[in-house]
Amino acid sequence: MDLLDWFGRFHPALVHFPIGILVVGVIMQFIAYRKPTLNLDKAVSNLYLIGFVAAFVAAFAGWMLAQEGGYQADTIFWHRWLGILMVVLAFGLYWNSRKNEVNHKTMRWGGIALVLGLMYTGHLGGEMTHGPEYLLESAPDFVKKLASYEEGANYTVLSDPDSVRIYDDLLRPVLETKCWTCHDDNLTKGGLNMSSEEMLLEGGRNGSVIEGTAEESEIFKRVTMDPARRKYMPPKGTPLSYQEVKLLEWWIETGASFDKRVTGVEVPENIQAILLARHELDTKPKTFLEKTKVELVPEEVMMSIAAEGFSIKPIAMNSNFVDVQWKGIDSLSVDKAAAALAEASTQIAWLDMGNANLSDAGMMHLSKLENLVRLKVDNNPVTDAGVKHLENLKHLESLNLYSTKISDISADYLTGLKSLKKLFVWQTDFGSDAAEKLQSSIPGLEVVQGYTFAQPAQ
Amino acid sequence: MTVFDELRFRNLQANTRRHFLKNCTMGMGALAMGMLTGCAKADLVTNESVRFTSGRTLSHYAARAKRVIYMHMAGSPSQLELFDYKPTLNRLHDELCPQSLLEGKKFAFISGVPKMLGHQATFAQYGQSGTWISNHLPYFQEVADEVCVLKAMHTDEFNHAPAQLLLYSGSPRLGRPSIGSWVTYGLGSENEDLPGFVILVSGGKTPSAGKSVWGNGFLPSVYQGVQCRSQGDPVLYLSNPDGMDRNLRKKSIDAINDINRQEYEMVGDPEIITRISQYEMAFKMQMSVPEAMDIHKEPAYIHDMYGTRPGEASFANNCLLARRMAEKGVRFIQLFHWGWDSHGAGKAEALNHGFMDRCREVDQPMTALIKDLKQRGLLADTLLIWGGEFGRTPMMENRGGATNPFVGRDHHTDAFTMWMAGGGVKGGMSYGETDEIGYYGIQDQVHVHDLQATLLHCLGLNHEKLTYRFQGRDFRLTDVSGHVLKEILS
């Protein structure tokens, strides 16, 4: 049997000779019609005979080669049976050409069919050895366009994480091209069929291939072991890339589920990078402002806030949240002006009232701005009592209180602000102890207390 | 009949009605084409000018940074003496450069076979991030965890002027708008009394590419950078001449603007709107600029921190001014320092002399700027960028095949280092890697167009959508390239 396997490997070497001979045969047959005086009939007949015998040998070798497996199922199916059909056709033409009463019509159409058939069968063979994109890769642009071939389009662009399923959209395409050639309905090597979800979970002859963790799972072990080992998968063809291995690992670790979506699980940072690179899929967790939708601020509200001495504008084209800055010159009326902000209480996301002579009375109005994310009230006569007004601003991420009159007491009012990431308290009486206390109750909070100048040690 | 008359006559005879129709159709076609493609279409531009004055936003997405402070080290500092540590290069010191590195390469000065040059510095890792920084930047070591170091930058141009133009306008040739102009065009200004795009120059010379690096190109000229000086009058000819008081000045500007407005209504040239707003801006700047540029009132500990001495045209003063402008909402603040072109042909441009002076001049103030912005809460929405227009070779320069009197390196386009900080960029990160002698980037390479795209992205602008139609096509800063470095965004 080994000897036959070896013989199979000669298929690519043997296959070109009969193709050449048979094509020459058809050409000569057509010349013979035009120039009967040349007496080519005998030669044509002999060419078909030689072509048939050579084709038979080549097809036999091909059959042996196909036994080894590892080819795309439908391509090998068509290549195999079309090849055999060509052998039969060659014999038919030979047989017909030897008759005394040659049926010219049959011969003519048979010849044409043979040439076309050889071309297509040969193309399928080439596709299997060189890969399906071999011809188009270096084709001129207009050909690529005709074949709607896209450069480097070996991955799909997925835009919306909500609709992307981990298995179906990310992993299955990988398994389909790299594993299914030997592990599908047609060829179930090792008893493993990966083309259906139930069969994949069922595993192969030696039991399940997917366990709780990637490292215990046979499927993961096989694709990550030393490629020189006999058990390494895939035994031939392109191995799984690093990214693909990582995706497989991630899929197993998240429970090897067939219906989980990317948004349903936590995406680790390395997988985020892979998804971005392979599928242009941005899986970074959306910020509060990206997730939340609010009503548009009415034009007249915009006008009335602006009339109080603020500049007000959307934070971005596609967002209804607004960025508000104090521009007023009349710093005596600032506390009163702040009352106007309540009209856009849900939409104000960023507020800058730094250096505005804002006092605790004005801070009171800010307590209504429920979706405030960034607040700057630095360089103001604000005290701890003013900070107390902020204690319910759950979405506050950045709070600038530098150069105000606050003290350690403010820490107590801020402990509930779990979203807070940055707190600026330079030039205040807010001490290091209060900062530490606050940091212990809000994980991830950075308290910036300022720097003192120091000459670096040389 | 003279020969010329005859020629004219013949010519007229030859020009038949058919010729007239033929020329006419083509001509009409050309006219229609011109209108379709939008050449010389005034209303588009006008809308932009109006938009600028009304200060509406064009952010494509929520901005990470509201403003930029760009510190340019003109002449290009050596990354191999500051950030890119390559022990192998030290081992190869004084050996002849292998031919494989020279084949097909163009250098500004190196000819023949140069010698490799080991680091003229010692390196260590700093901060929790373990960022490599050399001994030339002792202050900067303290803020290692605030900056993102881009180690595999590369550019296309190996001479100063074109490289600077490529970096600032996206094209190595003259005529395109600079980054600051694009940004103020896209976002407008946050302060109605100060220009949105300010330039501060130190080191004695403007960059080689001249003022084009802050020019507005084909954008309306309201978007061009305004150079402010830290010595003498902050802006040239800003103060009133003797005998003219502010009221009189106001009246004359109002009168001029009235006439200009009438002219605009008549001809509709958008540059007239620009001129009107410039007059108004200049009048406001007479008050606002001296106030913004006056660093005397800064407390002593701030002067200590930056190492500033009021009245000088120094990089330190400019860093402090940059912070003051950032506080006042200036959109794009561009600092140029000069003298980093360390060839080694003279003492002032030697790695072991002039280069070290330059390092001393920038190290303390740029570190102070990061810290000062941070303690004021401004670092979170201010994007800082630092770097030159290209890098320097791992080989010692041998000008004309002879040994230079001092140690220096030639211009190098394939690998150099820049750093970014603040405004939505991850701190304490090194991005990209060069080969073992720092000759080529081998991982996460960043082209100057990628840097531009990332800069715009941080400001909430999509570099592919921020376009301006000129001469019949939409132009953009990154032209047809540029990728946002999503990996370095926080």
Side-chain angles (χ1 to χ4, degrees):
Chain A
M1 203 57 198
D2 271 353
L3 207 63
L4 282 177
D5 273 355
W6 185 58
F7 179 64
R9 298 282 171 117
F10 283 88
H11 175 68
L14 292 171
V15 78
H16 297 97
F17 177 70
I19 295 175
I21 290 293
L22 289 172
V23 171
V24 170
V26 175
I27 292 169
M28 278 179 64
Q29 180 192 325
F30 276 79
I31 295 173
Y33 294 143
R34 287 245 161 157
K35 298 231 160 87
T37 48
L38 288 174
N39 274 329
L40 289 173
D41 294 347
K42 194 85 185 148
V44 168
S45 179
N46 280 328
L47 278 171
Y48 282 140
L49 178 62
I50 299 166
F52 158 67
V53 174
F56 183 83
V57 177
F60 181 73
W63 189 282
M64 292 299 124
L65 186 61
Q67 291 300 96
E68 282 185 39
Y71 298 104
Q72 200 77 44
D74 52 341
T75 320
I76 190 84
F77 173 85
W78 285 108
H79 183 68
R80 184 199 304 252
W81 293 109
L82 278 174
I84 288 168
L85 184 68
M86 290 305 109
V87 177
V88 175
L89 195 55
F91 181 75
L93 284 168
Y94 162 67
W95 194 253
N96 206 18
S97 67
R98 277 194 31 130
K99 282 186 186 164
N100 288 338
E101 279 295 304
V102 179
N103 184 342
H104 286 293
K105 202 169 173 189
T106 319
M107 284 298 282
R108 215 168 292 176
W109 286 110
I112 292 168
L114 183 67
V115 172
L116 294 177
L118 284 174
M119 278 169 68
Y120 186 65
T121 316
H123 170 72
L124 289 177
E127 204 165 76
M128 281 188 290
T129 27
H130 299 291
E133 281 168 10
Y134 184 70
L135 258 189
L136 286 172
E137 252 165 14
S138 55
D141 285 341
F142 72 95
V143 178
K144 282 183 187 173
K145 217 174 243 174
L146 273 176
S148 56
Y149 169 82
E150 268 179 65
E151 212 102 14
N154 45 4
Y155 67 87
T156 37
V157 173
L158 306 164
S159 53
D160 181 15
D162 294 329
S163 61
V164 175
R165 281 155 304 182
I166 301 176
Y167 179 75
D168 278 347
D169 295 316
L170 303 177
L171 195 62
R172 209 182 74 157
V174 177
L175 302 182
E176 212 171 320
T177 49
K178 300 201 171 165
C179 311
W180 285 19
T181 44
C182 297
H183 299 288
D184 71 347
D185 297 334
N186 296 319
L187 201 67
T188 316
K189 286 210 166 181
L192 178 64
N193 180 350
M194 300 168 81
S195 63
S196 88
E197 296 169 3
E198 301 81 45
M199 306 279 252
L200 174 56
L201 286 182
E202 207 169 274
R205 213 169 286 141
N206 299 325
S208 170
V209 292
I210 295 162
E211 308 291 337
T213 70
E215 272 167 34
E216 293 168 21
S217 305
E218 193 62 22
I219 183 172
F220 183 76
K221 283 189 213 162
R222 290 295 191 96
V223 298
T224 49
M225 62 173 52
D226 178 3
R229 288 177 61 180
R230 266 183 65 94
K231 286 184 161 188
Y232 179 76
M233 289 287 154
K236 61 180 166 184
T238 332
L240 268 70
S241 69
Y242 173 77
Q243 295 181 338
E244 288 162 350
V245 168
K246 281 287 163 194
L247 282 177
L248 176 67
E249 181 185 19
W250 182 52
W251 175 66
I252 297 173
E253 302 277 335
T254 52
S257 150
F258 291 99
D259 40 45
K260 267 189 189 160
R261 281 160 203 271
V262 170
T263 33
V265 291
E266 197 182 321
V267 186
E269 210 163 301
N270 64 338
I271 301 290
Q272 278 180 20
I274 290 171
L275 295 181
L276 192 64
R278 270 176 76 90
H279 302 288
E280 296 177 22
L281 185 67
D282 195 349
T283 45
K284 272 196 178 171
K286 280 189 176 170
T287 61
F288 166 68
L289 292 181
E290 285 167 335
K291 275 187 300 198
T292 318
K293 298 272 173 280
V294 289
E295 296 277 301
L296 189 73
V297 184
E299 193 67 26
E300 61 272 17
V301 173
M302 290 280 241
M303 301 291 258
S304 74
I305 291 177
E308 293 291 338
F310 292 96
S311 83
I312 175 167
K313 61 184 181 190
I315 59 168
M317 271 177 172
N318 53 5
S319 176
N320 289 337
F321 283 109
V322 290
D323 174 11
V324 175
Q325 287 180 48
W326 171 251
K327 296 280 178 191
I329 301 136
D330 183 8
S331 56
L332 293 174
S333 66
V334 64
D335 289 336
K336 233 171 71 216
L341 298 176
E343 290 178 74
S345 60
T346 55
Q347 293 98 338
I348 297 178
W350 300 343
L351 177 63
D352 179 357
M353 293 191 75
N355 216 350
N357 197 27
L358 184 74
S359 74
D360 295 344
M363 290 288 278
M364 191 181 71
H365 300 299
L366 307 188
S367 64
K368 302 185 192 82
L369 309 179
E370 50 187 273
N371 289 334
L372 205 58
V373 170
R374 286 188 210 163
L375 176 62
K376 286 184 71 179
V377 284
D378 53 279
N379 292 288
N380 283 317
V382 170
T383 70
D384 296 319
V387 175
K388 191 169 190 318
H389 294 304
L390 307 178
E391 64 188 350
N392 290 320
L393 301 181
K394 293 273 176 267
H395 303 294
L396 206 57
E397 288 173 18
S398 169
L399 175 58
N400 194 337
L401 285 163
Y402 104 80
S403 203
T404 54
K405 298 195 165 63
I406 63 157
S407 70
D408 292 348
I409 301 165
S410 281
D412 297 331
Y413 304 137
L414 298 174
T415 45
L417 307 184
K418 299 297 180 203
S419 308
L420 201 61
K421 292 191 180 67
K422 285 199 166 103
L423 176 66
F424 301 92
V425 292
W426 181 49
Q427 295 182 333
T428 64
D429 293 331
F430 193 94
S432 300
D433 294 339
E436 262 172 49
K437 202 177 92 185
L438 195 56
Q439 276 167 325
S440 66
S441 62
I442 306 176
L445 173 69
E446 183 186 11
V447 181
V448 179
Q449 294 176 278
Y451 297 91
T452 45
F453 172 68
Q455 208 87 40
Q458 286 295 337
Chain B
M1 197 188 272
T2 66
V3 68
F4 289 108
D5 285 337
E6 190 184 337
L7 190 66
R8 221 185 96 235
F9 184 67
R10 288 265 177 96
N11 191 26
L12 284 172
Q13 269 191 325
N15 269 323
T16 62
R17 189 170 50 195
R18 222 165 272 162
H19 275 94
F20 172 75
L21 287 172
K22 196 170 138 204
N23 284 346
C24 223
T25 47
M26 292 300 278
M28 292 307 275
L31 277 174
M33 176 93 174
M35 278 168 75
L36 282 172
T37 51
C39 283
K41 204 172 169 190
D43 53 332
L44 270 176
V45 192
T46 319
N47 290 338
E48 296 308 330
S49 296
V50 171
R51 192 174 58 70
F52 172 77
T53 36
S54 70
R56 266 189 290 139
T57 179
L58 213 148
S59 292
H60 301 111
Y61 18 74
R64 291 152 192 273
K66 286 190 158 183
R67 65 199 77 82
V68 177
I69 300 177
Y70 196 126
M71 291 167 269
H72 187 83
M73 304 296 115
S76 297
S78 166
Q79 76 281 10
L80 295 166
E81 266 64 46
L82 297 175
F83 298 105
D84 207 11
Y85 179 48
K86 298 290 158 191
T88 314
L89 187 60
N90 273 342
R91 270 205 303 285
L92 295 172
H93 179 68
D94 236 15
E95 292 197 26
L96 284 176
C97 177
Q99 204 61 44
S100 58
L101 296 185
L102 302 172
E103 267 160 19
K105 300 290 288 184
K106 260 189 200 159
F107 295 99
F109 292 101
I110 283 177
S111 52
V113 182
K115 285 179 175 171
M116 303 305 289
L117 178 64
H119 293 302
Q120 304 296 301
T122 54
F123 283 84
Q125 287 178 289
Y126 294 93
Q128 298 210 316
S129 54
T131 305
W132 287 98
I133 297 172
S134 88
N135 61 323
H136 294 311
L137 302 175
Y139 284 89
F140 193 69
Q141 293 157 4
E142 297 164 24
V143 287
D145 285 337
E146 300 292 341
V147 299
C148 172
V149 184
L150 306 175
K151 286 195 164 170
M153 291 288 308
H154 64 114
T155 180
D156 306 336
E157 297 293 327
F158 67 89
N159 275 321
H160 298 291
Q164 285 165 1
L165 283 172
L166 180 68
L167 180 60
Y168 287 108
S169 72
S171 160
R173 285 165 292 280
L174 293 166
R176 298 277 181 86
S178 56
I179 307 184
S181 299
W182 277 113
V183 168
T184 42
Y185 160 66
L187 298 175
S189 179
E190 294 221 313
N191 185 329
E192 281 157 24
D193 302 335
L194 283 171
F197 180 17
V198 170
I199 318 298
L200 296 158
V201 179
S202 59
K205 251 193 170 183
T206 47
S208 323
K211 294 181 179 181
S212 306
V213 291
W214 60 81
N216 56 298
F218 42 71
L219 292 177
S221 40
V222 270
Y223 302 117
Q224 75 181 317
V226 174
Q227 188 181 351
C228 293
R229 310 184 311 157
S230 46
Q231 201 176 20
D233 259 359
V235 175
L236 285 171
Y237 313 116
L238 189 67
S239 48
N240 288 327
D242 291 341
M244 176 171 284
D245 67 10
R246 197 161 162 77
N247 284 334
L248 187 58
R249 173 66 88 175
K250 174 79 185 142
K251 275 186 188 139
S252 55
I253 285 178
D254 285 347
I256 294 168
N257 282 350
D258 271 348
I259 298 169
N260 277 338
R261 227 164 259 133
Q262 284 169 23
E263 180 76 5
Y264 175 73
E265 273 155 27
M266 224 150 67
V267 296
D269 183 350
E271 281 295 299
I272 300 175
I273 291 280
T274 298
R275 177 57 65 95
I276 293 171
S277 63
Q278 296 291 65
Y279 269 115
E280 279 166 0
M281 174 63 81
F283 182 70
K284 289 181 209 158
M285 278 166 62
Q286 286 189 318
M287 295 294 280
S288 60
V289 170
E291 198 266 313
M293 297 289 291
D294 182 12
I295 56 173
H296 284 94
K297 284 182 208 135
E298 288 284 333
Y301 63 85
I302 289 292
H303 285 303
D304 283 346
M305 193 173 175
Y306 284 85
T308 38
R309 255 169 285 152
E312 277 183 345
S314 70
F315 185 75
N317 284 13
N318 287 350
C319 279
L320 181 52
L321 285 170
R323 190 220 81 205
R324 290 175 64 87
M325 300 219 170
E327 278 181 313
K328 290 184 189 302
V330 174
R331 186 69 72 183
F332 205 99
I333 306 150
Q334 180 97 49
L335 269 52
F336 284 100
H337 194 51
W338 186 83
W340 290 92
D341 197 14
S342 314
H343 287 286
K347 196 168 179 179
E349 52 168 54
L351 282 177
N352 42 359
H353 290 96
F355 174 79
M356 290 162 78
D357 294 338
R358 295 296 90 72
C359 288
R360 268 191 290 277
E361 284 160 16
V362 301
D363 179 30
Q364 185 186 348
M366 73 189 187
T367 308
L369 180 60
I370 293 177
K371 287 180 171 179
D372 201 14
L373 288 173
K374 180 157 187 185
Q375 66 194 2
R376 285 164 207 268
L378 285 166
L379 190 62
D381 57 4
T382 306
L383 178 65
L384 268 68
I385 304 178
W386 182 97
E389 59 268 21
F390 42 61
R392 309 211 76 94
T393 54
M395 293 85 88
M396 192 191 298
E397 183 176 313
N398 58 343
R399 194 167 289 201
T403 316
N404 273 346
F406 294 93
V407 187
R409 301 181 187 274
D410 202 354
H411 305 169
H412 187 47
T413 56
D414 296 315
F416 64 107
T417 303
M418 292 181 76
W419 60 255
M420 297 170 98
V425 174
K426 278 181 196 159
M429 181 180 184
S430 287
Y431 184 75
E433 205 181 308
T434 54
D435 58 25
E436 58 267 68
I437 56 164
Y439 196 64
Y440 286 112
I442 50 170
Q443 200 195 319
D444 297 330
Q445 285 184 283
V446 180
H447 190 267
V448 288
H449 281 134
D450 304 334
L451 182 86
Q452 293 159 350
T454 310
L455 185 154
L456 293 183
H457 182 90
C458 287
L459 290 164
L461 295 167
N462 181 338
H463 73 104
E464 288 177 344
K465 290 193 182 147
L466 182 66
T467 59
Y468 191 85
R469 182 152 284 209
F470 175 64
Q471 288 185 340
R473 89 143 157 117
D474 287 332
F475 280 87
R476 51 181 240 228
L477 173 61
T478 49
D479 207 358
V480 293
S481 359
H483 294 280
V484 175
L485 308 174
K486 291 211 168 133
E487 295 87 342
I488 69 163
L489 301 177
S490 60

